[in-house]
Amino acid sequence: MALTGIQIFKMLPGTNCKKCGAATCLAFAMNLASGKAELDACPDVSEESREKLSAASAPPIRPLTIGYGDTAIKIGGETVLFRHEKTFFNPTGIAALINDSESDADIAAKVKRYQKMQYSRVGLNLRPELVVVKGGARLADAAKAVVANSDLSVILYSEDPAALKAAAEALAGKNPLIGPATKANCAEVAAVAKEAKAPVWLKAASMDEVAELTKALTAAGLKDIVIDSGARTVKEVFTDSVAIRRAALGGNRDYGFPTIAFPAEITDNLAMQTAIASALIAKYAGVVVLGDLDGAMVFPLLLERLNIFTDPQRPMTMVQDIYPINNPGENSPVLVTTNFSLTYFIVSSEVEGSRVPCWLLIKDSEGLSVMTAWAAGKFSGDDVGQFVKKIGIEEKIKHKSVVIPGYAASISGDMEEELPGWNITIGPREAAHLTKFLKDYKTA
Amino acid sequence: MAFQIPTVKYSGKINEVPIGPAKVMVGGQNAYSFHTFEGSFPNKPKIALDVWDYDPSEEWPEALRQAFAGVMGDPGAWAGKCVEYGADIVVLHLKSSDPNDKNTGADHAVAAVQKVLDAVSCPVVIFGVDNKDKDVETLSAVAEKFAGKNLILGPVTEKNYKQIGAQALAYGHTVIARTPIDVNLAKQLNILLTGLGLPKDKIIVDPTTGGLGYGMEYGYSVMERISMAALVQQDDNLQQPMISFFGEDVWKSKEANLPTAENPQLGDATCRGVLMETTEAVAVLGAGVSVLSMRHPASVKLVREYVELAYDGGDVKGDLPKVPITEF
């Protein structure tokens, strides 16, 4: 559990020497408590206090990285149960399960397809990152087929330590997640993970066994651990997901690790797996494993993940730019609005739906919607007028007409002054009325 | 010592609201959704399917046109199809009454409602076009004409709650109170409606949801905060069951309307729309929603099975929609 500034202060030397840069030890303690300072800045803290403080300041859920290159994914590190309480930091990894009984050619074809599932949205590239390779005899070969034919990162799934060892060696430098460590093979799998310097996952038969296994793996010197409680029904997998998060945030170190869940092993039906994954992305899974990937499953889950893991304190924004919609030409209407991503999405989807070719100008308004941006002076007439001049739309069109949002109607006068000769039209207040508006609107 | 799930101390519960002539109960839970280990859930979430009062074939994607082929021109036949597909509730959208579009009158609305009520016996939501004056006109006529049928009338907003609320009270209907993605506004409208004399078992709230990938997180978190206020902080002005109309947002989105061939990386067009709808359904259920307003029968099947399994346990059974793997 996090310590308060006062609790930390009691463990500091109390000399007020200022060597850390803070005026007093109390001020330094307060900075430590709020994460603004590092303990190393204090030259005189005792070894005993240092140990206590670093244990207490460790995050309640261990953050760790699986994989390599573009698909390396950080999981864990979460601090709250509800995203509105702060934010969810590290998006759930999305994985496909491949059996090593499949031929190398089939595996190659699958992972090539998975790698092409990449979607760009609000300046981000959304994609599934992981493949779970399950089996024994052919584990290393199948894992090699994955990395030889794609850039996807790998999770190894075999209860045979020898197979894991061979596969981990084949994936040297690719930081695979190795496991499962179970009650039967814990010591051997721990040794493989340790040698490979790779994160390890455990598969338990009960929530009690989860604690036994995390204790054993920790005692073996491993820190990067991922938990599979072993639940394989819709109800239990959800319950365990909530239980582990709550226990971890409550300070129970035995459960302070990210989780992996297997919709793929709950049902063969891919549509139901998608529904299960949806619940687990919203509620706490570090990785969800699906039986196969198709765009129809992956795309909705990636959108959900993007939404759920968006920081509520920082609205998503669009880059200030000219956005062509429906292949506009030199006589197409020009619309201007703010860079709040929700505003952009709603406006652009209505314009797309109208099938009228348009130029959509997105002006940086610090992520505020039209009404708030206008009220906060981030969407004033001068400002928007200058923006229209500078953004370079004049080179793309043969008219001088621009449509402003209905909620910013009052800026039209100032805009006219800023843009002499331009025809400023006040558009509808609601994006939903754009289709009708565009049907009648003519540029001048 | 054996592991015990750290539990939350709940102090409140969601009010039970009986809807329709047969008084189907919604709400009543005293814990967060799916948290079966620490609460009771007397009524599982209900699923509604949409019917329009005119034929939207030209506006709706192929996936939906196929599912409702042959009935979209007749609200009665369409409603019957919804029930056949397993809907608990039918939502009749009075889309043609929109003054910015077809602008049909109250008599048209009444006739459409009559057709639906003649065809089905489940609870029926009558939903306007979120135009404060027009909705008062159509919903008042409907309320009076179908007195005592316990229809669910909406959207009731801060701007027209007095008129529609009074009609619902006078003629024995339930209302849907809609507010724009804000906990305090939701609370305020509940207070205004109860102040009007409307009992708490006559109000369902719609805190507004964004579409998946189109700002879903805003509505999602508002709904989680409402659930928290209702259940943990015992705020009795936020204990109404919630409804979410996300199905409309999902099926209006660009991606749900893109044919398979245009972007095969997004998978089969019908399946994509269904799984977008299903994904958002499961997410908003988790945030505390009691009634889902959706559009596709395959989503209904999936979400129903998910809900059964999440609350009752057991293994996945039944004949569920398949995902065709699209190669590219």
Side-chain angles (χ1 to χ4, degrees), chain A residues 71-324:
Chain A
T71 57
I73 182 164
K74 190 174 170 191
I75 58 172
E78 302 300 340
T79 57
V80 291
L81 284 169
F82 298 95
R83 62 184 289 283
H84 68 256
E85 292 174 327
K86 186 173 179 75
T87 184
F88 288 174
F89 292 98
N90 295 311
T92 310
I94 295 177
L97 183 70
I98 289 182
N99 272 297
D100 72 352
S101 58
E102 295 171 49
S103 75
D104 284 355
D106 287 351
I107 293 173
K110 268 191 180 176
V111 298
K112 281 180 184 165
R113 188 160 52 84
Y114 299 164
Q115 180 169 348
K116 279 190 273 179
M117 292 177 187
Q118 301 196 29
Y119 315 96
S120 114
R121 205 168 178 91
V122 282
L124 300 169
N125 185 36
L126 312 183
R127 63 176 299 190
E129 299 87 1
L130 301 160
V131 168
V132 176
V133 181
K134 181 178 182 179
R138 261 185 30 83
L139 198 70
D141 287 341
K144 273 192 259 180
V146 172
V147 296
N149 292 288
S150 75
D151 66 352
L152 294 156
S153 289
V154 177
I155 296 174
L156 296 170
Y157 186 167
S158 174
E159 292 184 22
D160 174 4
L164 283 176
K165 187 170 159 52
E169 281 164 8
L171 295 179
K174 301 210 166 6
N175 193 33
L177 174 64
I178 293 174
T182 64
K183 213 168 172 180
N185 70 11
C186 188
E188 293 90 335
V189 171
V192 174
K194 214 169 168 188
E195 200 190 323
K197 294 196 175 61
V200 65
W201 64 283
L202 66 87
K203 183 178 176 182
S206 67
M207 285 294 284
D208 288 321
E209 207 177 287
V210 168
E212 284 171 39
L213 290 168
T214 57
K215 278 197 186 99
L217 292 168
T218 306
L222 294 166
K223 288 190 170 132
D224 290 338
I225 301 168
V226 178
I227 297 173
D228 167 13
S229 73
R232 292 295 187 271
T233 67
V234 170
K235 183 173 171 171
E236 286 161 11
V237 80
F238 182 86
T239 299
D240 287 358
S241 195
V242 173
I244 292 168
R245 173 67 68 91
R246 280 196 189 161
L249 296 187
N252 189 335
R253 293 280 174 198
D254 295 341
Y255 297 89
F257 302 94
T259 60
I260 182 168
F262 288 84
E265 297 188 341
I266 293 174
T267 171
D268 290 336
N269 183 278
L270 294 172
M272 181 53 74
Q273 289 179 21
T274 309
I276 299 167
S278 170
L280 295 171
I281 286 170
K283 297 281 181 229
Y284 319 141
V287 176
V288 289
V289 184
L290 303 158
D292 196 352
L293 300 182
D294 183 79
M297 312 157 64
V298 168
F299 182 68
L301 293 175
L302 289 170
L303 290 185
E304 182 199 18
R305 181 174 85 170
L306 175 70
N307 285 164
I308 295 289
F309 284 85
T310 292
D311 185 344
Q313 303 146 84
R314 249 188 326 171
M316 279 197 293
T317 56
M318 298 297 296
V319 179
Q320 171 164 304
D321 207 347
I322 301 172
Y323 291 81

Side-chain angles (χ1 to χ4, degrees), chain A residues 82-83 116 119 121 207-208 235 246 255 269 272 278-279 283 294-296 307 340 342 345 352 433 436, chain B residues 3 6 8 35-36 38 100 213-215 217-218 221 224 228 254-255 265-266 279 305-306 321 325-326:
Chain A
F82 298 95
R83 62 184 289 283
K116 279 190 273 179
Y119 315 96
R121 205 168 178 91
M207 285 294 284
D208 288 321
K235 183 173 171 171
R246 280 196 189 161
Y255 297 89
N269 183 278
M272 181 53 74
S278 170
K283 297 281 181 229
D294 183 79
N307 285 164
F340 180 33
L342 204 51
F345 277 137
E352 264 161 25
H433 300 145
K436 189 175 155 54
Chain B
F3 177 78
V8 163
H35 288 52
T36 50
E38 60 185 5
N100 291 313
Y214 291 86
E217 69 272 27
Y218 296 91
S221 280
E224 283 204 325
M228 192 179 259
K254 172 175 66 178
E255 293 84 2
Q265 269 123 306
L266 291 171
T279 297
E305 176 79 0
Y306 183 83
I325 301 292
T326 304

Side-chain angles (χ1 to χ4, degrees), chain B residues 159-236:
Chain B
K159 293 191 178 121
N160 62 15
Y161 77 94
K162 278 187 188 153
Q163 296 93 321
I164 302 177
Q167 296 287 332
L169 192 59
Y171 297 108
H173 301 296
T174 301
V175 299
I176 293 173
R178 169 178 276 188
T179 44
I181 318 191
D182 185 289
V183 178
N184 292 318
L185 293 178
K187 180 170 171 166
Q188 177 66 15
L189 187 53
N190 278 341
I191 293 171
L192 291 173
L193 281 166
T194 46
L196 208 60
L198 210 63
K200 287 191 169 161
D201 65 357
K202 288 286 187 189
I203 305 170
I204 295 174
V205 302
D206 169 18
T208 313
T209 327
L212 184 70
Y214 291 86
M216 177 187 79
E217 69 272 27
Y218 296 91
Y220 176 88
S221 280
V222 165
M223 294 188 293
E224 283 204 325
R225 289 173 59 200
I226 289 176
S227 298
M228 192 179 259
L231 297 169
V232 181
Q233 292 145 11
Q234 213 182 340
D235 187 333
D236 57 10

Side-chain angles (χ1 to χ4, degrees), chain B residues 14-15 24 45 82 110 164-165 182 185 202 220 241 261 264 267 297 301:
Chain B
I14 304 301
N15 294 317
V24 173
C82 292
V110 166
I164 302 177
D182 185 289
L185 293 178
K202 288 286 187 189
Y220 176 88
K301 212 165 189 180

Side-chain angles (χ1 to χ4, degrees), chain B residues 36-119:
Chain B
T36 50
F37 50 91
E38 60 185 5
S40 66
F41 300 84
N43 311 299
K44 289 197 188 105
K46 299 287 181 285
I47 303 176
L49 278 173
D50 281 359
V51 169
W52 281 22
D53 68 346
Y54 74 88
D55 186 341
S57 295
E58 282 178 18
E59 299 157 57
W60 281 24
E62 174 71 17
L64 294 173
R65 293 202 306 272
Q66 252 174 15
F68 295 101
V71 297
M72 288 171 83
D74 174 3
W78 189 348
K81 196 77 184 171
C82 292
V83 172
E84 196 182 301
Y85 280 140
D88 303 304
I89 299 167
V90 167
V91 180
L92 174 63
H93 288 272
L94 302 175
K95 290 280 182 187
S96 75
S97 70
D98 191 344
N100 291 313
D101 198 3
K102 299 187 182 359
N103 201 17
T104 58
D107 52 336
H108 186 274
V110 166
V113 175
Q114 185 70 59
K115 280 184 188 162
V116 171
L117 294 184
D118 287 346

